[in-house]
Amino acid sequence: MFRKLIYIVISALLLFSCGGNGDGGKTKLVFKVGKVAGQSGYLAQIVEEFENENPGVDVVLEILPSITDQQHQFYITSLEGGSSDFDVFALDVIWVPEFALAGWLESLEGKFTDEQLANFLPGPLKADTYNGELYAVPWYVDGGVLYYREDLLQKYNVKPPDTFAGLKQAARKIMKGEDNSKLAGFIWQGKQYEGLVCSALEFIEGNCAGILDDGGNPVINSERAIEALAFMKQLIDDGIAPEYVTTTDEEATRHSFGNGNVIFMRNWPYAYNIFNTEGSKVKDKVAVKTMPHFEGCESASTLGGWQLGINKFSKHKDWAWKFIEFMSRYETQKKMALNVGLKPSRKDVYSDEDLVKQQPFMAELLNTLLQAVPRPVSPYYPQISLVLQAKFSEVLSGSSSAEQALNEAQTRLTEIINRRK
Ligand code: GLC
């Protein structure tokens, strides 16, 4: 309540001192974005650089919670009401078709030349296109990767595993040797939310299975998908993954690993910079590689990441575009990558010398991101995801078998997809 009051007072003061919109004062451009871990004010610095270049505008940075599902809920509510309270906003890669169909995004078709567009990673670009028109610009890209404690693997003479079976064996050996009841073998994002779908998809795809087939039909109860989910559950039952994995999101897993209590972790690339900052308990002890896969299949990394779009109801669309253009520049993306650890949406930044020096896995990461597996690109993805979140969660918590849960998921996804045909 008190915070809210302060916020209202500050907003009122800001509005007053800037003269609001027009009347000789500066234009107030509101940029809404989810909290990015470890950014410690750097985004504000970038925004200030934009303001220095554009004295006519004042950017107000409004931060939402970091969890994607919560942000989604916020946007649905405010955009359904036609809110013009914000101008530019960061969208999860899975939302663009849904928001474009609803008429909440300004079309950005033709804003960049084909040559400029060709420099962006193709996966996010495709996800930002709806009915042949571009509705958002890729800002930073995520792909699931495997973090591991290089020091512990070396101590036990264990090679970084390529398969899930190899990971399990390696974790078991190290856990036994360390004799530390707090040490977990493997963690991922396992609570019931979008992050669980991303994590589970890497097990499923890594076992040559998927959510939908090439024709867009659900295949989530295939034998191999069931096997992959059952394997995740078995990791918990065998004590390789801790019980608490059914409650974790990105930051919770990042904290456990960062406290030195985990050998292997699935997460997005942002955590690497945080682990290597001064004072970190795992500084210089962490390496990153592609996710493991099941025997005879290939590694899969879920495509994630955030886009910049313009609110269709915004009253400052020209400024909003200028801001997006600024955020997409080589220099801006390089700074965000160096200082915050967010991975560029532009391919050319990946070979930047300074960046490669700071984050040696950059070249391999670009390959991973180029091949990352998208979640279904559809306006109905949120409905599909809600089913998957619930069913995957039932398996991990032990309230359903993998077979039963995925059979139910198959029925529900078929209903959703048929209804839309
Ligand atoms: C990250 C990804 C996003 C994904 C989310 C799941 O923020 O960038 O695409 O949906 O994690 O928790």
Side-chain angles (χ1 to χ4, degrees):
M1 181 64 200
F2 183 58
R3 262 216 214 141
K4 204 167 170 190
L5 197 69
I6 293 194
Y7 176 75
I8 292 169
V9 171
I10 292 177
S11 306
L13 282 174
L14 268 175
L15 205 73
F16 184 69
S17 63
C18 304
N21 172 20
D23 64 352
K26 293 184 178 190
T27 299
K28 185 179 108 177
L29 190 78
V30 177
F31 175 35
K32 272 237 189 280
V33 54
K35 184 174 185 307
V36 179
Q39 79 180 11
S40 38
Y42 194 76
L43 190 56
Q45 200 171 313
I46 289 281
V47 161
E48 211 179 304
E49 284 180 26
F50 174 76
E51 289 173 332
N52 292 341
E53 246 181 53
N54 298 281
V57 70
D58 237 327
V59 179
V60 180
L61 198 55
E62 290 187 356
I63 310 287
L64 290 174
S66 67
I67 301 290
T68 179
D69 312 60
Q70 291 173 14
Q71 294 182 46
H72 184 253
Q73 197 49 48
F74 168 84
Y75 287 120
I76 296 281
T77 314
S78 66
L79 291 169
E80 259 172 8
S83 168
S84 60
D85 290 354
F86 57 95
D87 304 288
V88 182
F89 64 124
L91 296 100
D92 196 337
V93 68
I94 49 183
W95 303 342
V96 180
E98 180 198 14
F99 285 24
L101 174 68
W104 297 337
L105 289 170
E106 179 72 6
S107 169
L108 304 179
E109 192 56 28
K111 293 273 191 195
F112 277 136
T113 63
D114 286 351
E115 203 187 332
Q116 285 171 317
L117 285 177
N119 198 9
F120 287 95
L121 280 138
L125 211 52
K126 194 169 163 215
D128 293 348
T129 307
Y130 180 67
N131 266 349
E133 279 189 47
L134 190 72
Y135 281 94
V137 173
W139 180 27
Y140 66 87
V141 186
D142 268 336
V145 287
L146 184 73
Y147 288 81
Y148 61 94
R149 286 283 302 279
E150 204 168 23
D151 57 325
L152 287 178
L153 266 68
Q154 273 165 7
K155 181 171 167 192
Y156 291 91
N157 210 7
V158 168
K159 277 210 318 223
D162 290 327
T163 62
F164 281 113
L167 181 149
K168 198 168 170 179
Q169 224 178 7
R172 192 171 263 144
K173 181 170 176 185
I174 297 170
M175 287 168 88
K176 218 166 154 191
E178 284 296 288
D179 192 28
N180 167 2
S181 63
K182 265 203 194 157
L183 189 67
F186 185 22
I187 57 174
W188 57 83
Q189 291 73 56
K191 85 171 186 195
Q192 188 177 334
Y193 82 121
E194 185 60 37
L196 171 58
V197 178
C198 298
S199 296
L201 187 57
E202 287 159 1
F203 286 79
I204 294 169
E205 290 271 349
N207 198 24
C208 307
I211 302 173
L212 306 180
D213 66 11
D214 293 344
N217 300 307
V219 286
I220 192 61
N221 64 344
S222 69
E223 224 169 87
R224 282 176 173 275
I226 293 171
E227 188 182 47
L229 254 290
F231 181 87
M232 290 177 88
K233 167 70 172 142
Q234 198 62 46
L235 284 171
I236 303 176
D237 292 345
D238 290 345
I240 302 294
E243 295 276 344
Y244 72 72
V245 82
T246 54
T247 64
T248 50
D249 56 25
E250 284 81 5
E251 281 294 85
T253 47
R254 198 262 293 172
H255 283 298
S256 297
F257 191 96
N259 281 328
N261 295 330
V262 181
I263 307 168
F264 295 104
M265 171 183 67
R266 182 273 173 207
N267 210 330
W268 308 106
Y270 78 96
Y272 187 81
N273 278 40
I274 304 175
F275 292 149
N276 285 312
T277 50
E278 259 346 293
S280 152
K281 286 189 188 148
V282 292
K283 185 166 166 29
D284 300 327
K285 293 179 178 165
V286 182
V288 174
K289 73 181 287 294
T290 49
M291 283 297 291
H293 52 82
F294 288 88
E295 206 65 60
C297 299
E298 283 179 16
S299 290
S301 167
T302 300
L303 178 68
W306 292 77
Q307 335 299 311
L308 296 174
I310 300 179
N311 177 359
K312 184 87 182 182
F313 310 110
S314 159
K315 301 198 171 77
H316 312 292
K317 289 180 183 152
D318 289 345
W319 279 118
W321 173 249
K322 265 199 158 194
F323 182 70
I324 294 182
E325 215 175 15
F326 174 86
M327 295 300 267
S328 324
R329 282 189 203 158
Y330 185 102
E331 276 308 315
T332 316
Q333 293 221 345
K334 174 177 172 179
K335 285 181 189 166
M336 289 296 288
L338 281 173
N339 296 289
V340 190
L342 301 182
K343 301 299 170 270
S345 56
R346 298 172 60 114
K347 287 183 270 186
D348 51 2
V349 189
Y350 283 81
S351 42
D352 185 275
E353 261 180 41
D354 300 326
L355 201 54
V356 173
K357 209 164 128 202
Q358 190 206 52
Q359 299 168 41
F361 61 97
M362 261 344 236
E364 195 188 338
L365 185 67
L366 177 60
N367 264 335
T368 303
L369 295 175
L370 282 169
Q371 290 165 32
V373 181
R375 284 158 279 171
V377 178
S378 152
Y380 312 110
Y381 177 72
Q383 292 169 41
I384 295 177
S385 175
L386 282 180
V387 172
L388 298 177
Q389 292 175 22
K391 294 298 158 192
F392 293 168
S393 186
E394 281 174 19
V395 178
L396 296 190
S397 66
S399 62
S400 289
S401 70
E403 189 175 3
Q404 187 192 344
L406 296 194
N407 279 338
E408 284 164 14
Q410 175 75 8
T411 308
R412 302 270 301 278
L413 296 197
T414 309
E415 278 163 18
I416 294 173
I417 284 165
N418 284 346
R419 222 183 297 143
R420 304 298 172 190
K421 270 184 183 161

